[in-house]
Amino acid sequence: MPGTPRKKAAAAGPVKEGKKRPHAPADELEKYLSIITASIDDDKGEDIVVINLTGRASFADRMVIATGVADRQIAAMAQHIERKLKDVGLKRILVEGANGSDWVLIDAGDIVIHLFKAEARALYGLEQMWGTDFDGADGEEITSL
């Protein structure tokens, strides 16, 4: 079947029972999260939020959302995160929108990172969509840094 792995997965349909997505161990997940948040903080990213998606989403266990001031800053933050995660051994990292847009998405497997300009972040409202009001989640699901 021709196409990218993502297109093949979409064509295959939903995950069948018994073929669940493998999860990283908790200590490894926390290590990656600390690398990501430290990198964003070093690059002067603002309003860093980590949302716990465990048991609420099948595509990831954590979501990191941060704001940058300019397109170039957001692209640089994405490049730095990608390089640092590869340096510690994370192999499959997909980056979308890094060529000068208001929103860059980084898929690092168990962690999804959204880097926004302020206007785009307010427009999409991911914190409200996945935050504490989602499915009656408790207040410990969002961590602001």
Side-chain angles (χ1 to χ4, degrees), residues 21-139:
R21 177 180 62 85
H23 296 276
D27 59 335
E28 197 170 296
L29 188 65
E30 293 305 318
K31 177 179 81 170
Y32 295 147
L33 271 175
S34 66
I35 290 169
I36 292 164
T37 56
S39 180
I40 293 170
D41 192 48
D42 291 346
D43 289 336
K44 309 294 186 229
E46 300 172 353
D47 301 324
I48 304 168
V49 172
V50 178
I51 302 174
N52 184 351
L53 300 176
T54 305
R56 297 170 31 188
S58 62
F59 60 88
D61 291 334
R62 301 287 188 280
M63 181 183 296
V64 178
I65 304 171
T67 303
V69 178
D71 295 348
R72 290 185 73 166
Q73 179 194 16
I74 293 170
M77 287 192 296
Q79 289 173 349
H80 296 158
I81 290 169
E82 181 181 20
R83 188 191 59 209
K84 289 175 183 177
L85 289 175
K86 284 184 177 179
D87 288 347
V88 296
L90 192 59
K91 302 282 187 240
R92 188 183 160 275
I93 303 168
L94 301 172
V95 180
E96 296 288 335
N99 298 329
S101 68
D102 292 347
W103 180 9
V104 174
L105 169 69
I106 304 169
D107 180 353
D110 289 324
I111 304 171
V112 175
I113 304 116
H114 297 275
L115 305 173
F116 287 105
K117 285 176 82 174
E119 305 82 35
R121 185 173 180 171
L123 176 68
Y124 290 104
L126 293 181
E127 289 99 331
Q128 290 78 29
M129 186 183 306
W130 289 99
T132 56
D133 293 336
F134 181 78
D135 285 344
D138 59 16

